[in-house]
């Protein structure tokens, strides 16, 4: 496929949608980048931050001439949006999404969108502490992994287009089935967030007995509060949409933590040191992986 | 008390000992900063990195003329070191430590050191991903909290001296009893480390079923691997020395995590969002606290 595309439409101009707009515009990947958002003020901010060329107020007009559409709304709003889009698509319009959950969602979106358009599920594994278009960055996807989740119903040309855009904005594209995606995302992203949220909640409870507790905290705990400062609404929706996989990952985590607790209770120093050593080696492996990518 | 001190001796020139040396030298808080370490190569590196003025090979000579001594060795080596020091101290020598655990340790150190010298327990809540004197920094303690744990046996003048040094290197000094220290440290530091180590261990196990798993990970998980890359030997010793408090904090955490698991299992979106919102607010509070300090 060849750049530039004629027109890219981004529906939902928050952190991810806004960053996509900035990245696509910066690299000249599209003749124009239009934005659509239920929140008129946010849409205006996206224009003033140059995340999009044009703010569209009407979905039909927004879609006119668009060869690629990103659904960058919260997971819980995807299906309703797809229903609205369904009648407005042309046979050549490629639609993709950026939802953090894929399993059931891809099937639902295919059901709504495939009769009239083309659809490929996607999930850029990128985010920031801050949410909102104000935190958007043209570099957000550089060096990140973008998971695409084609199915037997996915059009090969549409898949190539979506893959090419993510590659062009600096991401490494990996293909997984929607079901495998949800297991992987539960492990590497959803579980860490739940673990961090629970840790912060735990210290909040302890704080009622020890009012100055949090003021004694250092780097380690502050990293947790960073992870736990993502959008509560977004994480609510992710937990609802990928609940089964997340619960299963939490249960695996619970059994590992219980093993740690018993080793500490039994003062089993060599078991503990072996666990800590294995965990430390992961960091070195990830750092090496990051260097090799450069 | 008035700076400069005549001579500061740092026993154990790793990350914390080395950073103390750099910070004290940079600010001219002592006429000389001597270092002592069982590891001759590390001691030489501390000299070449200017973390200490002089490498001492003999403990008795090292102590000669020292008005302040920092014990910056691993928690598990403190008692043996104190035993060696006991006969070599003068009545005016102030000894303090930087151990991450205080409860029983302070009593043990007082028993060894107080007959001949002065002792004040301390714990700077500062650290870095990297360990070793190569990672030492004169700014490590700036903006950090340093917990001092005086007891009824602590000399008031010795306490003033130790407090003055930590304040001068940029830390906020807080006084806690040794027992309260251990509960606070278990909550804000030891528990977060165990939780992070367990998360990395959990993903390592999942990786055996999904070999590319870790390559899909993003910022959230990488923060955990940073926390879990601290020295395994150090964390082994902390877990052994403060085991009871850490186990009790893990159990509190387990009950919070189980509450989260049940909310996800029951798809209780409003309970989840309320938990996430409370956790997010902590971050804002900590950030405000940090700004107010400036």
């Amino acid at each position: 496929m060849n750049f530039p595309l004629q027109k890219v439409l981004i529906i939902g101009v928050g952190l991810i949608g806004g960053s996509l707009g900035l990245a696509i515009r910066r690299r000249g990947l599209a003749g124009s980048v239009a934005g659509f958002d239920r929140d008129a003020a946010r849409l205006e901010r996206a224009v003033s931050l140059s995340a999009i060329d044009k703010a569209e107020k009407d979905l039909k007009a927004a879609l006119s001439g668009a060869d690629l559409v990103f659904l960058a709304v919260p997971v819980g709003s995807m299906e309703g949006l797809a229903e609205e889009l369904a009648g407005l698509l042309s046979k050549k319009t490629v639609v993709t999404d950026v939802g953090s959950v894929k399993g059931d969602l891809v099937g639902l979106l295919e059901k709504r969108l495939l009769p009239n358009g083309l659809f490929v599920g996607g999930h850029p594994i990128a985010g920031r502490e801050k949410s909102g278009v104000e935190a958007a960055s043209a570099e957000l996807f550089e060096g990140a992994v973008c998971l695409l989740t084609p199915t037997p119903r996915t059009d090969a040309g549409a898949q190539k287009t979506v893959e090419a855009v993510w590659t062009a904005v600096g991401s490494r594209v990996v293909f997984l089935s929607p079901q495998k995606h949800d297991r992987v995302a539960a492990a590497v992203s959803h579980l860490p967030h739940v673990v961090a949220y629970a840790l912060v909640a735990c210290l909040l409870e302890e704080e009622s007995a020890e009012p100055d507790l949090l003021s004694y905290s250092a780097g380690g705990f502050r990293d947790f509060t960073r992870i736990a400062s993502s959008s509560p609404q977004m994480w609510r929706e992710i937990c609802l949409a990928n609940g089964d996989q997340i619960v299963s990952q939490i249960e695996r985590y619970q059994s590992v933590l219980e093993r740690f607790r018993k080793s500490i209770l039994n003062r089993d120093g060599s078991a503990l040191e072996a666990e800590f050593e294995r965990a430390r080696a992961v960091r070195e492996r990830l750092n090496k992986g990051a260097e090799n990518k450069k």
Side-chain angles (χ1 to χ4, degrees), chain A:
Chain A
M1 74 139 284
N2 296 313
F3 290 117
L5 297 161
Q6 186 182 321
K7 175 179 169 182
V8 169
L9 170 64
I10 297 169
I11 303 182
V13 288
L15 171 65
I16 299 292
S19 296
L20 263 171
L22 288 170
I24 291 169
R25 293 185 72 243
R26 162 97 45 104
R27 290 167 182 80
L29 304 181
S32 77
V33 177
F36 179 86
D37 202 297
R38 300 271 173 236
D39 181 334
R42 180 161 53 199
L43 196 56
E44 282 314 310
R45 286 200 300 278
V47 174
S48 64
L49 292 165
S50 303
I52 52 175
D53 297 305
K54 194 184 172 198
E56 299 278 3
K57 313 271 173 191
D58 174 75
L59 203 48
K60 190 172 175 185
L63 281 163
S64 165
D67 31 20
L68 178 60
V69 180
F70 283 97
L71 313 184
V73 300
V75 166
S77 311
M78 290 280 182
E79 197 187 354
L81 173 62
E83 196 164 351
E84 280 187 79
L85 283 176
L88 306 171
L89 295 177
S90 88
K91 280 283 178 198
K92 291 186 303 179
T93 320
V94 177
V95 181
T96 186
D97 78 312
V98 300
S100 307
V101 178
K102 293 266 89 63
D104 297 341
L105 183 64
V106 167
L108 291 168
L109 294 180
E110 283 184 340
K111 192 174 147 197
R112 300 290 179 190
L113 300 172
L114 285 194
N116 301 308
L118 305 167
F119 176 74
V120 189
H123 174 204
I125 305 189
R128 301 186 68 178
E129 174 183 346
K130 309 246 171 208
S131 39
V133 66
E134 295 78 7
S137 154
E139 285 83 42
L140 186 64
F141 309 109
E142 271 176 21
V145 168
C146 182
L147 302 174
L148 296 185
T149 58
T151 72
R153 301 181 70 188
T154 304
D155 177 80
Q159 179 179 322
K160 285 271 176 228
T161 300
V162 175
E163 180 184 5
V165 173
W166 284 113
T167 304
V169 300
S171 294
R172 180 166 72 87
V173 172
V174 174
F175 298 97
L176 293 176
S177 73
Q179 289 67 33
K180 192 161 180 181
H181 167 278
D182 279 7
R183 181 173 170 186
V184 163
V188 303
S189 171
H190 307 166
L191 175 65
H193 277 84
V194 170
V195 161
Y197 275 120
L199 183 80
V200 176
C202 186
L203 261 76
L204 275 174
E205 288 178 11
E206 184 77 349
E207 198 187 22
S208 57
E210 178 61 67
D212 292 325
L213 189 72
L214 292 183
S215 73
Y216 307 145
S217 66
F221 177 65
R222 302 217 170 200
D223 285 339
F224 279 93
T225 67
R226 194 193 69 77
I227 304 167
S229 68
S230 314
S231 159
Q233 296 75 25
M234 187 177 89
W235 281 98
R236 167 202 170 125
E237 294 188 2
I238 290 172
C239 287
L240 297 181
N242 200 25
D244 291 347
Q245 289 293 340
I246 298 175
V247 164
S248 134
Q249 292 292 335
I250 291 175
E251 288 167 356
R252 288 198 331 101
Y253 179 75
Q254 285 174 322
S255 73
V256 173
L257 186 62
E258 177 60 13
R259 190 174 78 215
F260 275 62
R261 189 188 71 86
K262 282 194 181 137
S263 292
I264 298 174
L265 190 66
N266 300 329
R267 305 296 194 268
D268 186 345
S270 46
L272 287 168
E273 190 169 334
E275 300 265 20
F276 297 161
E277 194 57 72
R278 271 195 297 276
R280 172 151 87 163
V282 171
R283 177 80 179 177
E284 280 156 28
R285 186 145 55 90
L286 288 180
N287 284 347
K288 259 188 210 141
E291 274 167 29
N292 290 345
K293 268 199 295 184
K294 278 178 195 165

